[in-house]
Coordinates of all heavy atoms in Angstrom, one line a residue:
M361 N 130.4 82.2 156.8 CA 131.4 82.8 156.0 C 131.2 82.2 154.5 O 131.1 81.0 154.4 CB 132.7 82.4 156.6 CG 133.9 83.0 155.8 SD 135.6 82.7 156.5 CE 135.4 83.1 158.1
S362 N 131.3 83.0 153.5 CA 131.0 82.6 152.2 C 132.4 82.4 151.5 O 133.3 83.0 151.9 CB 130.2 83.5 151.4 OG 130.8 84.8 151.4
T363 N 132.3 81.5 150.4 CA 133.6 81.4 149.7 C 133.6 82.3 148.5 O 132.5 82.7 148.0 CB 133.8 79.9 149.3 OG1 132.7 79.5 148.5 CG2 133.9 79.0 150.5
I364 N 134.7 82.4 147.9 CA 134.8 83.3 146.7 C 134.2 82.6 145.5 O 134.2 81.3 145.4 CB 136.2 83.8 146.4 CG1 137.2 82.6 146.2 CG2 136.7 84.7 147.4 CD1 138.6 83.0 145.8
P365 N 133.5 83.2 144.6 CA 133.0 82.6 143.5 C 134.0 81.9 142.6 O 135.1 82.4 142.5 CB 132.3 83.7 142.7 CG 132.6 84.9 143.3 CD 133.4 84.6 144.6
L366 N 133.6 80.8 142.0 CA 134.4 80.1 141.1 C 134.7 80.9 139.8 O 133.8 81.4 139.3 CB 133.8 78.8 140.7 CG 134.7 77.9 139.7 CD1 136.0 77.4 140.4 CD2 133.9 76.6 139.4
R367 N 135.9 81.1 139.5 CA 136.2 81.9 138.2 C 137.2 81.1 137.4 O 137.9 80.2 137.9 CB 136.9 83.2 138.6 CG 135.9 84.0 139.4 CD 136.4 85.5 139.8 NE 135.4 86.2 140.5 CZ 135.6 86.7 141.7 NH1 136.6 86.3 142.4 NH2 134.6 87.3 142.2
P368 N 137.3 81.3 136.1 CA 138.3 80.6 135.3 C 139.7 80.9 135.7 O 140.0 81.9 136.2 CB 138.0 81.1 133.8 CG 137.2 82.3 134.0 CD 136.5 82.3 135.4
P369 N 140.6 79.9 135.4 CA 142.0 80.1 135.7 C 142.6 81.3 135.0 O 142.1 81.7 133.9 CB 142.7 78.8 135.2 CG 141.6 77.9 134.9 CD 140.2 78.6 134.7
I370 N 143.5 81.9 135.7 CA 144.2 83.1 135.1 C 145.2 82.6 134.1 O 146.1 81.8 134.5 CB 144.8 83.9 136.2 CG1 143.8 84.5 137.2 CG2 145.7 85.0 135.6 CD1 144.4 85.1 138.3
P371 N 145.2 83.1 132.8 CA 146.1 82.6 131.9 C 147.6 83.1 132.3 O 147.8 84.3 132.6 CB 145.7 83.2 130.6 CG 144.8 84.4 131.0 CD 144.2 84.1 132.3
A372 N 148.5 82.2 132.3 CA 149.9 82.5 132.7 C 150.6 83.1 131.5 O 151.1 82.4 130.7 CB 150.6 81.3 133.2
I373 N 150.5 84.4 131.4 CA 151.2 85.1 130.3 C 152.6 85.6 130.7 O 153.6 85.1 130.3 CB 150.3 86.3 129.8 CG1 148.9 85.8 129.4 CG2 150.9 87.0 128.6 CD1 147.8 86.7 129.4
T374 N 152.6 86.6 131.4 CA 153.8 87.2 132.2 C 153.5 87.2 133.6 O 152.4 87.4 134.0 CB 154.2 88.5 131.5 OG1 153.2 89.4 131.9 CG2 154.3 88.5 130.0
P375 N 154.6 87.3 134.4 CA 154.3 87.5 135.9 C 153.5 88.8 136.2 O 152.6 88.8 136.9 CB 155.7 87.5 136.4 CG 156.5 86.7 135.6 CD 156.0 86.9 134.2
A376 N 153.9 89.9 135.4 CA 153.3 91.1 135.7 C 151.7 91.0 135.2 O 150.9 91.6 136.0 CB 153.9 92.3 134.9
E377 N 151.5 90.4 134.2 CA 150.1 90.3 133.6 C 149.3 89.4 134.5 O 148.1 89.7 134.9 CB 150.1 89.8 132.2 CG 148.7 89.7 131.6 CD 148.0 91.1 131.5 OE1 148.6 92.1 131.7 OE2 146.8 91.1 131.1
T378 N 149.9 88.3 135.1 CA 149.2 87.4 135.9 C 148.8 88.2 137.3 O 147.7 88.0 137.7 CB 150.1 86.2 136.4 OG1 150.4 85.5 135.1 CG2 149.5 85.3 137.3
I379 N 149.7 89.0 137.8 CA 149.3 89.8 139.0 C 148.3 90.7 138.7 O 147.3 90.9 139.4 CB 150.6 90.5 139.5 CG1 151.6 89.4 140.2 CG2 150.2 91.5 140.6 CD1 153.0 90.0 140.5
R380 N 148.4 91.4 137.5 CA 147.4 92.4 137.1 C 146.0 91.8 137.0 O 145.0 92.3 137.5 CB 147.7 93.0 135.8 CG 146.9 94.3 135.4 CD 147.2 94.9 134.1 NE 146.7 94.1 133.0 CZ 145.4 94.0 132.7 NH1 144.5 94.8 133.3 NH2 145.0 93.2 131.7
V381 N 145.8 90.6 136.3 CA 144.6 90.0 136.2 C 144.1 89.5 137.5 O 142.9 89.6 137.8 CB 144.7 88.8 135.1 CG1 143.5 87.9 135.1 CG2 145.1 89.4 133.8
F382 N 145.0 89.0 138.3 CA 144.6 88.5 139.6 C 143.9 89.6 140.5 O 142.9 89.4 141.1 CB 145.8 87.9 140.4 CG 145.4 87.3 141.7 CD1 145.0 86.0 141.8 CD2 145.5 88.0 142.9 CE1 144.7 85.4 143.0 CE2 145.2 87.4 144.2 CZ 144.8 86.1 144.2
R383 N 144.6 90.7 140.4 CA 144.0 91.9 141.2 C 142.7 92.4 140.6 O 141.8 92.8 141.3 CB 145.0 93.0 141.1 CG 146.3 92.8 142.0 CD 147.2 93.9 142.2 NE 147.1 95.0 141.1 CZ 148.0 96.0 141.0 NH1 149.0 96.0 141.9 NH2 147.9 96.8 140.1
L384 N 142.5 92.2 139.4 CA 141.2 92.6 138.7 C 140.1 91.5 139.1 O 138.9 91.8 139.1 CB 141.3 92.8 137.2 CG 142.1 94.0 136.7 CD1 142.4 93.9 135.2 CD2 141.4 95.2 137.1
T385 N 140.6 90.3 139.2 CA 139.7 89.2 139.4 C 139.1 89.1 140.9 O 137.9 88.8 141.1 CB 140.3 87.8 139.0 OG1 140.7 88.0 137.6 CG2 139.2 86.7 139.1
Y386 N 140.1 89.4 141.8 CA 139.8 89.1 143.3 C 140.1 90.6 143.9 O 141.1 91.1 143.7 CB 140.5 88.0 143.8 CG 140.4 86.8 143.2 CD1 141.3 86.2 142.3 CD2 139.3 85.9 143.3 CE1 141.3 85.1 141.7 CE2 139.1 84.7 142.7 CZ 140.1 84.3 141.9 OH 139.9 83.1 141.2
T387 N 139.2 90.9 144.9 CA 139.5 92.0 145.8 C 140.5 91.5 146.9 O 140.5 90.3 147.2 CB 138.3 92.5 146.4 OG1 137.7 91.6 147.3 CG2 137.2 93.0 145.4
L388 N 141.2 92.4 147.4 CA 142.1 92.1 148.5 C 141.3 91.4 149.7 O 141.8 90.4 150.2 CB 142.7 93.4 149.1 CG 143.6 93.2 150.3 CD1 144.7 92.2 150.1 CD2 144.2 94.5 150.7
E389 N 140.1 91.9 150.0 CA 139.3 91.3 151.0 C 138.9 89.8 150.7 O 138.9 89.0 151.7 CB 138.1 92.2 151.3 CG 138.3 93.5 151.9 CD 139.0 94.5 150.8 OE1 138.7 94.4 149.6 OE2 139.5 95.5 151.2
E390 N 138.6 89.6 149.4 CA 138.2 88.2 149.1 C 139.4 87.3 149.3 O 139.3 86.2 149.9 CB 137.8 88.2 147.6 CG 136.4 88.7 147.3 CD 136.1 88.6 145.8 OE1 137.0 89.0 145.0 OE2 135.0 88.1 145.5
V391 N 140.5 87.8 148.9 CA 141.8 86.9 149.1 C 142.1 86.7 150.5 O 142.3 85.5 150.9 CB 142.9 87.5 148.3 CG1 144.3 86.8 148.6 CG2 142.7 87.7 146.9
Q392 N 142.0 87.8 151.3 CA 142.4 87.6 152.7 C 141.3 86.6 153.4 O 141.8 85.8 154.2 CB 142.3 89.0 153.4 CG 143.5 89.8 153.0 CD 143.3 91.3 153.6 OE1 142.2 91.8 153.6 NE2 144.4 91.9 153.8
E393 N 140.0 86.8 153.1 CA 139.1 85.9 153.7 C 139.2 84.5 153.3 O 139.1 83.5 154.1 CB 137.6 86.4 153.3 CG 137.1 87.6 154.0 CD 135.8 88.1 153.5 OE1 135.1 87.3 152.9 OE2 135.5 89.3 153.7
E394 N 139.5 84.3 152.0 CA 139.7 82.8 151.6 C 140.9 82.2 152.1 O 141.0 81.1 152.4 CB 139.8 82.8 150.0 CG 139.6 81.5 149.4 CD 138.4 80.8 149.7 OE1 137.3 81.5 150.0 OE2 138.2 79.5 149.6
L395 N 142.0 83.0 152.3 CA 143.2 82.5 152.9 C 143.0 82.1 154.3 O 143.4 81.0 154.8 CB 144.4 83.5 152.8 CG 145.1 83.7 151.5 CD1 146.1 84.9 151.6 CD2 145.8 82.4 151.1
W396 N 142.3 82.9 155.1 CA 142.0 82.6 156.4 C 141.1 81.4 156.5 O 141.3 80.5 157.3 CB 141.4 83.9 157.1 CG 140.9 83.5 158.6 CD1 139.7 83.5 159.1 CD2 141.9 83.1 159.6 NE1 139.7 83.1 160.4 CE2 141.1 82.9 160.8 CE3 143.2 83.0 159.7 CZ2 141.6 82.6 162.0 CZ3 143.8 82.6 161.0 CH2 143.0 82.4 162.0
R397 N 140.1 81.3 155.6 CA 139.2 80.2 155.6 C 139.9 78.9 155.4 O 139.6 77.8 156.0 CB 138.1 80.3 154.6 CG 136.9 79.3 154.6 CD 136.0 79.5 153.4 NE 136.6 79.0 152.2 CZ 136.8 77.8 151.8 NH1 136.5 76.8 152.6 NH2 137.3 77.5 150.7
C398 N 140.9 78.9 154.5 CA 141.7 77.7 154.3 C 142.7 77.4 155.4 O 143.0 76.2 155.6 CB 142.5 77.9 152.9 SG 141.5 78.0 151.5
L399 N 143.3 78.4 156.0 CA 144.3 78.1 157.0 C 143.7 77.8 158.4 O 144.3 77.1 159.2 CB 145.3 79.2 157.1 CG 146.4 79.1 158.1 CD1 147.3 77.8 157.6 CD2 147.2 80.3 158.3
Q400 N 142.5 78.4 158.7 CA 142.0 78.3 160.0 C 141.9 76.9 160.6 O 142.3 76.6 161.7 CB 140.6 79.0 160.1 CG 140.1 79.2 161.5 CD 138.8 79.9 161.5 OE1 138.1 79.9 160.4 NE2 138.4 80.4 162.7
P401 N 141.3 75.9 159.8 CA 141.2 74.5 160.3 C 142.6 74.0 160.6 O 142.7 73.3 161.6 CB 140.6 73.8 159.1 CG 139.9 74.8 158.3 CD 140.7 76.1 158.4
R402 N 143.6 74.2 159.9 CA 144.9 73.7 160.1 C 145.5 74.3 161.4 O 146.2 73.7 162.2 CB 145.9 73.9 159.0 CG 145.4 73.1 157.8 CD 146.6 72.8 156.8 NE 147.7 72.2 157.4 CZ 148.9 72.4 157.0 NH1 149.2 73.1 155.9 NH2 150.0 71.9 157.6
L403 N 145.3 75.7 161.5 CA 145.8 76.3 162.7 C 145.1 75.8 164.0 O 145.8 75.5 165.0 CB 145.6 77.8 162.6 CG 146.4 78.7 163.5 CD1 147.8 78.5 163.4 CD2 146.0 80.2 163.2
L404 N 143.8 75.7 163.9 CA 143.1 75.1 165.0 C 143.5 73.7 165.4 O 143.6 73.3 166.6 CB 141.6 75.3 164.9 CG 141.1 76.6 164.8 CD1 139.5 76.7 164.5 CD2 141.3 77.4 166.0
A405 N 143.7 72.9 164.3 CA 144.2 71.5 164.5 C 145.5 71.4 165.2 O 145.8 70.6 166.1 CB 144.2 70.7 163.2
S406 N 146.4 72.3 164.9 CA 147.7 72.4 165.5 C 147.7 72.7 167.0 O 148.5 72.2 167.8 CB 148.7 73.3 164.8 OG 148.4 74.7 165.1
F407 N 146.6 73.5 167.4 CA 146.4 73.7 168.8 C 146.1 72.4 169.6 O 146.6 72.2 170.7 CB 145.4 74.8 169.1 CG 145.9 76.2 168.8 CD1 145.1 77.0 167.9 CD2 146.8 76.8 169.4 CE1 145.4 78.3 167.7 CE2 147.3 78.1 169.2 CZ 146.6 78.9 168.3
S408 N 145.2 71.7 169.0 CA 144.9 70.4 169.6 C 145.9 69.4 169.7 O 145.9 68.5 170.6 CB 143.6 69.9 168.9 OG 143.9 69.4 167.6
E409 N 146.9 69.5 168.8 CA 148.1 68.6 168.8 C 149.0 69.0 169.8 O 150.0 68.2 170.1 CB 148.8 68.6 167.4 CG 147.9 68.1 166.3 CD 148.5 68.3 164.9 OE1 149.7 68.9 164.9 OE2 147.9 68.0 163.9
L410 N 148.9 70.2 170.4 CA 149.7 70.7 171.4 C 151.2 70.7 170.9 O 152.2 70.4 171.6 CB 149.7 69.9 172.7 CG 148.3 69.9 173.4 CD1 148.3 68.9 174.5 CD2 147.9 71.3 173.8
D411 N 151.3 71.2 169.7 CA 152.7 71.4 169.1 C 153.0 72.8 168.9 O 152.7 73.3 167.8 CB 152.7 70.5 167.8 CG 154.2 70.5 167.2 OD1 155.1 71.2 167.7 OD2 154.4 69.8 166.2
P412 N 153.5 73.5 169.9 CA 153.7 75.0 169.7 C 154.6 75.4 168.6 O 154.4 76.4 167.9 CB 154.2 75.4 171.0 CG 154.7 74.3 171.8 CD 153.9 73.1 171.2
D413 N 155.6 74.6 168.2 CA 156.5 74.8 167.1 C 155.7 74.9 165.8 O 155.9 75.8 165.0 CB 157.7 73.9 167.0 CG 158.7 74.1 168.2 OD1 158.7 75.2 168.8 OD2 159.4 73.1 168.5
H414 N 154.9 73.9 165.6 CA 154.1 73.7 164.4 C 153.1 74.9 164.3 O 152.9 75.5 163.3 CB 153.4 72.4 164.3 CG 152.6 72.2 163.1 ND1 153.2 72.1 161.9 CD2 151.3 72.0 162.8 CE1 152.3 71.9 160.9 NE2 151.1 71.9 161.5
T415 N 152.4 75.2 165.4 CA 151.5 76.3 165.5 C 152.1 77.6 165.1 O 151.7 78.5 164.3 CB 150.8 76.4 166.8 OG1 150.2 75.1 167.2 CG2 149.8 77.5 166.9
N416 N 153.4 77.9 165.7 CA 154.0 79.1 165.4 C 154.5 79.1 163.9 O 154.5 80.2 163.3 CB 155.3 79.2 166.3 CG 155.0 79.5 167.7 OD1 153.9 80.0 168.1 ND2 155.8 79.2 168.7
Q417 N 155.0 78.0 163.4 CA 155.3 78.0 162.0 C 154.1 78.4 161.1 O 154.3 79.1 160.1 CB 155.9 76.6 161.6 CG 157.2 76.3 162.1 CD 157.7 74.9 161.9 OE1 156.9 74.1 161.5 NE2 159.0 74.6 162.1
L418 N 152.9 77.7 161.3 CA 151.7 78.0 160.6 C 151.4 79.5 160.7 O 151.0 80.1 159.7 CB 150.6 77.2 161.0 CG 150.6 75.8 160.5 CD1 149.4 75.0 161.2 CD2 150.4 75.7 159.0
A419 N 151.4 80.0 161.9 CA 151.0 81.4 162.1 C 152.0 82.4 161.4 O 151.6 83.3 160.7 CB 151.0 81.7 163.6
S420 N 153.2 82.0 161.4 CA 154.3 82.9 160.8 C 154.1 82.8 159.2 O 154.1 83.7 158.5 CB 155.7 82.3 161.1 OG 156.7 83.1 160.3
F421 N 153.8 81.6 158.7 CA 153.6 81.4 157.3 C 152.3 82.2 156.9 O 152.4 82.9 155.9 CB 153.3 79.9 157.0 CG 153.1 79.6 155.6 CD1 154.1 79.7 154.6 CD2 151.8 79.2 155.1 CE1 153.8 79.3 153.3 CE2 151.6 78.9 153.8 CZ 152.6 79.0 152.8
Y422 N 151.3 82.1 157.6 CA 150.1 82.9 157.3 C 150.4 84.4 157.3 O 149.9 85.1 156.4 CB 149.0 82.7 158.2 CG 147.7 83.4 158.1 CD1 146.9 83.1 157.0 CD2 147.4 84.5 158.8 CE1 145.8 83.9 156.7 CE2 146.3 85.3 158.7 CZ 145.5 84.9 157.5 OH 144.4 85.8 157.3
E423 N 151.1 84.9 158.3 CA 151.4 86.3 158.3 C 152.2 86.7 157.1 O 152.0 87.8 156.6 CB 152.2 86.6 159.6 CG 151.3 86.5 160.9 CD 152.2 86.7 162.1 OE1 153.3 87.2 162.1 OE2 151.7 86.4 163.2
N424 N 153.2 85.9 156.7 CA 153.9 86.2 155.6 C 153.1 86.2 154.2 O 153.4 87.0 153.3 CB 155.2 85.2 155.4 CG 156.2 85.5 156.5 OD1 156.4 86.6 156.9 ND2 156.9 84.4 156.9
I425 N 152.2 85.3 154.2 CA 151.3 85.3 153.0 C 150.5 86.6 153.0 O 150.3 87.2 151.9 CB 150.5 84.0 152.9 CG1 151.3 82.9 152.6 CG2 149.4 84.2 151.9 CD1 150.6 81.5 152.6
E426 N 150.0 87.0 154.1 CA 149.2 88.1 154.3 C 150.0 89.4 153.8 O 149.6 90.3 153.1 CB 148.8 88.4 155.7 CG 147.5 87.7 156.1 CD 146.3 88.2 155.5 OE1 146.2 89.5 155.3 OE2 145.4 87.5 155.3
I427 N 151.4 89.5 154.2 CA 152.2 90.5 153.8 C 152.4 90.5 152.3 O 152.3 91.6 151.6 CB 153.5 90.4 154.5 CG1 153.4 90.8 156.0 CG2 154.6 91.4 153.9 CD1 154.5 90.4 156.9
L428 N 152.6 89.3 151.7 CA 152.8 89.2 150.3 C 151.5 89.7 149.5 O 151.6 90.4 148.6 CB 153.2 87.7 149.9 CG 153.3 87.4 148.5 CD1 154.5 88.1 147.8 CD2 153.4 85.9 148.3
V429 N 150.4 89.2 150.0 CA 149.2 89.6 149.3 C 148.9 91.1 149.3 O 148.6 91.7 148.3 CB 148.0 88.8 149.8 CG1 146.7 89.4 149.4 CG2 148.1 87.3 149.5
S430 N 149.2 91.6 150.5 CA 149.0 93.1 150.7 C 149.9 93.8 149.7 O 149.6 94.8 149.1 CB 149.2 93.4 152.1 OG 148.2 92.9 152.9
A431 N 151.2 93.3 149.6 CA 152.2 94.0 148.8 C 151.7 93.9 147.3 O 151.8 94.9 146.5 CB 153.5 93.3 148.9
V432 N 151.1 92.8 146.9 CA 150.7 92.7 145.4 C 149.6 93.7 145.1 O 149.6 94.3 144.1 CB 150.0 91.2 145.3 CG1 149.2 91.1 143.9 CG2 151.2 90.2 145.2
Y433 N 148.7 94.0 146.1 CA 147.7 95.0 145.9 C 148.2 96.4 146.1 O 147.4 97.4 145.7 CB 146.5 94.7 146.8 CG 145.6 93.6 146.3 CD1 145.9 92.3 146.6 CD2 144.5 93.8 145.4 CE1 145.2 91.2 146.1 CE2 143.8 92.8 144.9 CZ 144.1 91.5 145.3 OH 143.4 90.4 144.7
Q434 N 149.3 96.6 146.6 CA 149.9 97.9 146.7 C 150.8 98.3 145.5 O 151.3 99.5 145.3 CB 150.7 98.1 147.9 CG 149.8 98.1 149.2 CD 150.6 98.1 150.4 OE1 151.7 98.6 150.5 NE2 150.2 97.3 151.5
L435 N 151.1 97.4 144.6 CA 152.0 97.6 143.4 C 151.3 98.6 142.5 O 150.0 98.6 142.5 CB 152.2 96.3 142.7 CG 153.1 95.2 143.3 CD1 153.1 94.0 142.5 CD2 154.5 95.8 143.4
P436 N 152.1 99.3 141.9 CA 151.4 100.3 140.9 C 150.8 99.4 139.7 O 151.1 98.2 139.6 CB 152.6 101.1 140.3 CG 153.8 100.3 140.7 CD 153.5 99.5 141.8
D437 N 149.8 100.0 139.0 CA 149.3 99.2 137.9 C 150.4 98.8 137.0 O 151.2 99.5 136.6 CB 148.3 100.2 137.1 CG 147.5 99.4 136.1 OD1 147.2 98.3 136.3 OD2 147.1 100.0 135.1
L438 N 150.2 97.5 136.7 CA 151.3 96.8 135.9 C 150.6 96.7 134.5 O 149.8 95.9 134.2 CB 151.5 95.4 136.4 CG 152.0 95.4 137.8 CD1 152.0 94.0 138.3 CD2 153.4 96.0 137.9
S439 N 151.1 97.5 133.5 CA 150.6 97.5 132.2 C 151.2 96.3 131.4 O 152.3 96.0 131.7 CB 150.8 98.8 131.5 OG 152.2 99.1 131.5
A440 N 150.4 95.7 130.6 CA 150.8 94.5 129.9 C 151.1 94.9 128.4 O 150.5 95.8 127.9 CB 149.7 93.6 129.9
P441 N 151.9 94.1 127.8 CA 152.2 94.4 126.3 C 150.9 94.0 125.6 O 150.1 93.2 126.1 CB 153.3 93.4 126.0 CG 153.4 92.4 127.1 CD 152.8 93.0 128.3
P442 N 150.7 94.5 124.4 CA 149.5 94.3 123.6 C 149.1 92.8 123.4 O 148.0 92.4 123.5 CB 149.7 95.0 122.2 CG 150.8 96.0 122.6 CD 151.6 95.5 123.8
E443 N 150.1 92.1 123.1 CA 149.9 90.6 122.9 C 149.4 89.9 124.1 O 148.5 89.0 124.0 CB 151.1 89.9 122.3 CG 152.3 89.7 123.3 CD 153.2 91.0 123.2 OE1 153.0 92.0 122.5 OE2 154.2 91.0 123.9
A444 N 149.8 90.3 125.3 CA 149.2 89.7 126.6 C 147.8 90.1 126.7 O 147.0 89.3 127.2 CB 150.1 90.1 127.6
K445 N 147.5 91.4 126.5 CA 146.1 91.9 126.7 C 145.2 91.1 125.7 O 144.1 90.7 126.1 CB 146.1 93.4 126.3 CG 146.7 94.2 127.4 CD 146.6 95.6 127.1 CE 147.2 96.5 128.2 NZ 147.1 97.9 127.9
A446 N 145.6 90.8 124.5 CA 144.8 90.1 123.6 C 144.5 88.7 124.0 O 143.5 88.2 123.9 CB 145.5 90.0 122.2
M447 N 145.6 88.0 124.6 CA 145.4 86.7 125.2 C 144.5 86.6 126.3 O 143.6 85.8 126.4 CB 146.8 86.1 125.6 CG 147.7 85.8 124.5 SD 149.3 85.2 125.0 CE 149.0 83.6 125.6
V448 N 144.5 87.7 127.2 CA 143.5 87.8 128.3 C 142.1 88.0 127.8 O 141.2 87.4 128.2 CB 144.0 88.9 129.3 CG1 142.9 89.2 130.2 CG2 145.3 88.6 130.0
K449 N 142.1 88.8 126.8 CA 140.7 89.1 126.2 C 140.1 87.9 125.6 O 138.9 87.5 125.8 CB 140.9 90.2 125.1 CG 139.6 90.6 124.6 CD 139.7 91.8 123.6 CE 138.4 92.3 123.0 NZ 138.6 93.3 122.1
A450 N 141.0 87.1 124.8 CA 140.5 85.8 124.3 C 140.1 84.8 125.4 O 139.1 84.2 125.3 CB 141.5 85.3 123.4
A451 N 140.9 84.7 126.4 CA 140.6 83.8 127.5 C 139.4 84.1 128.2 O 138.6 83.3 128.8 CB 141.8 83.7 128.5
A452 N 139.0 85.4 128.3 CA 137.9 85.9 129.0 C 136.6 85.9 128.2 O 135.6 86.4 128.6 CB 138.1 87.3 129.6
G453 N 136.7 85.4 127.0 CA 135.6 85.4 126.1 C 135.3 86.7 125.4 O 134.1 87.0 125.1
G454 N 136.2 87.5 125.1 CA 136.1 88.7 124.3 C 136.0 89.9 125.2 O 136.0 91.0 124.6
T455 N 136.1 89.8 126.5 CA 136.0 91.1 127.3 C 137.3 91.2 128.0 O 138.0 90.3 128.4 CB 134.8 91.1 128.3 OG1 135.1 89.9 129.2 CG2 133.5 91.0 127.6
C456 N 137.8 92.5 128.0 CA 139.1 92.7 128.7 C 138.9 93.8 129.7 O 138.3 94.8 129.3 CB 140.2 93.0 127.7 SG 141.9 93.1 128.4
H457 N 139.5 93.7 130.8 CA 139.4 94.8 131.8 C 140.5 95.7 131.8 O 140.9 96.3 132.8 CB 139.3 94.2 133.2 CG 138.1 93.2 133.4 ND1 136.8 93.7 133.6 CD2 138.0 91.9 133.4 CE1 136.0 92.6 133.6 NE2 136.7 91.6 133.5
A458 N 141.3 95.8 130.7 CA 142.5 96.6 130.7 C 142.2 98.0 130.5 O 141.2 98.4 130.0 CB 143.4 96.1 129.3

């Protein structure tokens, strides 16, 4: 299983612009794979601890994050104000995916 490529941090402009840039930067599949890669060792460790409450909490947390991420990718396109687009363009080195 491969990890997602290293990318520069997303400039925190507005919440809508942050979500828009995140969706342009990472595919839904990349995010889902990386979340699973990060959580899987903790989930497996909780099985070995024989703590069903902790395991259930982790599984529930993961499911809720999956729902949240899926919802982010189902949002309509979030257009940004011109000044936010300019900041993203400058942070990306002159290219903008708007």
Side-chain angles (χ1 to χ4, degrees):
M361 185 181 306
S362 63
T363 60
I364 58 177
L366 182 62
R367 297 185 178 113
I370 296 171
I373 301 157
T374 65
E377 184 64 8
T378 301
I379 290 170
R380 191 185 75 75
V381 172
F382 184 87
R383 290 186 338 189
L384 291 172
T385 305
Y386 304 102
T387 66
L388 174 59
E389 292 76 22
E390 284 177 315
V391 175
Q392 289 171 328
E393 287 177 17
E394 192 65 18
L395 284 173
W396 178 244
R397 190 186 70 74
C398 292
L399 182 67
Q400 186 181 22
R402 292 206 51 211
L403 192 57
L404 293 175
S406 72
F407 284 124
S408 66
E409 295 169 5
L410 299 175
D411 184 353
D413 289 336
H414 183 65
T415 301
N416 289 338
Q417 288 173 346
L418 280 175
S420 177
F421 180 72
Y422 176 76
E423 288 174 18
N424 287 327
I425 289 177
E426 278 283 329
I427 291 167
L428 175 65
V429 166
S430 293
V432 163
Y433 282 87
Q434 293 174 34
L435 290 171
D437 188 27
L438 304 168
S439 54
E443 64 274 5
K445 289 182 182 180
M447 290 176 71
V448 170
K449 185 176 181 179
T455 60
C456 185
H457 302 284

